Amino acid sequence: GSAILVRSRKDGKKYVAKEINLFRMKREEREEAKNEIKVLSKLDHPNITKYCTHFEENSMLYIVMEFADGGDLDNRIKAQKGRRFDEDVILHYFVQ
């Protein structure tokens, strides 16, 4: 699947929707996608983006998660432009 940035019509907040093509999936893969939804809906941790909802439309499954605008570790590494992270920053990321 792929992830797309979406905006709520109700409140204007940004979310990320994971888009999964169900039409091309085998039965077992569809079950795995449903299981992913169950697991995500139960996770509650400050370092894991929160599950919001899911829906199906035109043989596509959309799993909507909160948007983490802080970026990911890859972006942070690239932003360092070859400079080393301070040890306390590395420990912070490692703990997460």
Side-chain angles (χ1 to χ4, degrees), residues 59-72:
S59 297
M60 300 295 283
L61 171 64
Y62 295 90
I63 302 174
V64 182
M65 308 285 291
E66 68 182 0
F67 174 61
D69 61 356
D72 60 14

Side-chain angles (χ1 to χ4, degrees), residues 38-80:
K38 287 179 188 175
V39 170
L40 289 171
S41 69
K42 293 177 182 176
L43 290 176
D44 185 20
H45 191 277
N47 298 325
I48 299 174
T49 55
K50 291 187 180 10
Y51 163 87
C52 297
T53 190
H54 71 280
F55 62 94
E56 291 183 34
E57 186 175 284
N58 299 325
S59 297
M60 300 295 283
L61 171 64
Y62 295 90
I63 302 174
V64 182
M65 308 285 291
E66 68 182 0
F67 174 61
D69 61 356
D72 60 14
L73 184 57
D74 183 53
N75 288 336
R76 303 258 174 143
I77 291 170
K78 289 176 183 173
Q80 287 295 111

Side-chain angles (χ1 to χ4, degrees):
S2 59
I4 52 176
L5 183 62
V6 296
R7 187 178 299 271
S8 170
R9 291 180 183 156
K10 291 180 182 178
D11 60 13
K13 286 179 63 177
K14 293 179 184 177
Y15 296 91
V16 173
K18 182 176 179 181
E19 184 180 54
I20 303 166
N21 188 336
L22 295 174
F23 183 74
R24 296 182 183 159
M25 293 180 118
K26 297 177 184 172
R27 183 174 177 234
E28 299 86 28
E29 292 171 320
R30 280 191 227 111
E31 291 301 318
E32 287 174 11
K34 289 178 183 177
N35 190 48
E36 179 180 354
I37 292 167
K38 287 179 188 175
V39 170
L40 289 171
S41 69
K42 293 177 182 176
L43 290 176
D44 185 20
H45 191 277
N47 298 325
I48 299 174
T49 55
K50 291 187 180 10
Y51 163 87
C52 297
T53 190
H54 71 280
F55 62 94
E56 291 183 34
E57 186 175 284
N58 299 325
S59 297
M60 300 295 283
L61 171 64
Y62 295 90
I63 302 174
V64 182
M65 308 285 291
E66 68 182 0
F67 174 61
D69 61 356
D72 60 14
L73 184 57
D74 183 53
N75 288 336
R76 303 258 174 143
I77 291 170
K78 289 176 183 173
Q80 287 295 111
K81 298 180 181 175
R83 296 184 315 261
R84 294 179 184 255
F85 285 102
D86 291 335
E87 186 176 338
D88 59 330
V89 173
I90 293 170
L91 288 172
H92 172 76
Y93 289 141
F94 181 75
V95 169
Q96 292 192 39

